[in-house]
Amino acid sequence: MKTAYRAMPIGEAVLRELRDADDAGRACVPYTDEEGGAPLRCCLRTSVVGERIALVAYAPLRRWAAATGADPGAYDEQGPVFVHAGECGGPAGSGPWAGGYPFARPGVLRTLRRYDVRGHILGGRVLALGEDADGDVGRALDEAFADPGTALVHVRAAEFGCFQFEVRRP
């Protein structure tokens, strides 16, 4: 399925910073993934057994605000994300989510949070993904961007609150 919106990974410049010290100021501690399946925000795919990865604190709204001059105030937050411990080249044109949305699979819960150009939250919703997981995400993004005040949407895992990816107004 071709998606209407582009899921944005964490950019390489930000990843270089996070691999030194994360957004909570802690040093990155890489490890060898012994289980696989960690949602990697650098390349928007799941990890495989044996890869070197790290779990770091990431503040996506803070970083977007710094680049745009917005002031999210109390809406600024940080949370855990998995990334490759070294450069990975970002998303490839293929993978388990090729043509669809990353980490979208039936049975998972996602939270979509809408933000305006000031970085203030406009609203959010919890989304239970069904058999047409990509379609569910796409329709929720259509709904979010139907509000002309929505500048960007953050998709998060509802269970742990982990940032999954960002979508900006097309």
Side-chain angles (χ1 to χ4, degrees):
M1 170 186 180
K2 179 142 176 55
T3 57
Y5 303 95
R6 181 174 172 262
M8 298 176 63
I10 299 173
E12 273 302 318
V14 172
L15 288 166
R16 282 190 292 278
E17 293 174 11
L18 294 173
R19 289 175 181 132
D20 181 39
D22 68 13
D23 286 344
R26 289 185 292 274
C28 180
V29 181
Y31 65 95
T32 301
D33 187 353
E34 296 181 5
E35 297 177 16
L40 298 165
R41 286 19 172 262
C42 46
C43 55
L44 299 179
R45 69 166 176 82
T46 54
S47 65
V48 297
V49 173
E51 285 187 292
R52 296 285 291 164
I53 64 174
L55 182 62
V56 297
Y58 177 55
L61 192 61
R62 179 184 315 158
R63 288 185 173 271
W64 172 82
T68 63
D71 180 11
Y75 298 107
D76 179 26
E77 62 183 321
Q78 64 190 26
V81 295
F82 290 98
V83 298
H84 275 112
E87 287 191 30
C88 68
S94 62
W97 62 277
Y101 292 105
F103 320 120
R105 62 185 189 285
V108 299
L109 296 173
R110 294 293 179 249
T111 301
L112 282 75
R113 295 183 186 159
R114 300 180 297 117
Y115 298 92
D116 67 14
V117 295
R118 299 171 300 159
H120 293 192
I121 197 164
L122 293 173
R125 68 173 288 196
V126 176
L127 179 65
L129 300 185
E131 289 304 313
D132 181 16
D134 283 329
D136 292 341
V137 173
R139 286 183 290 279
L141 289 168
D142 283 342
E143 179 183 296
F145 287 114
D147 178 345
T150 300
L152 69 150
V153 175
H154 285 175
V155 178
R156 295 178 175 271
E159 300 88 343
F160 299 102
C162 298
F163 175 79
Q164 300 287 294
F165 59 88
E166 178 179 291
V167 177
R168 295 187 185 172
R169 178 165 287 287

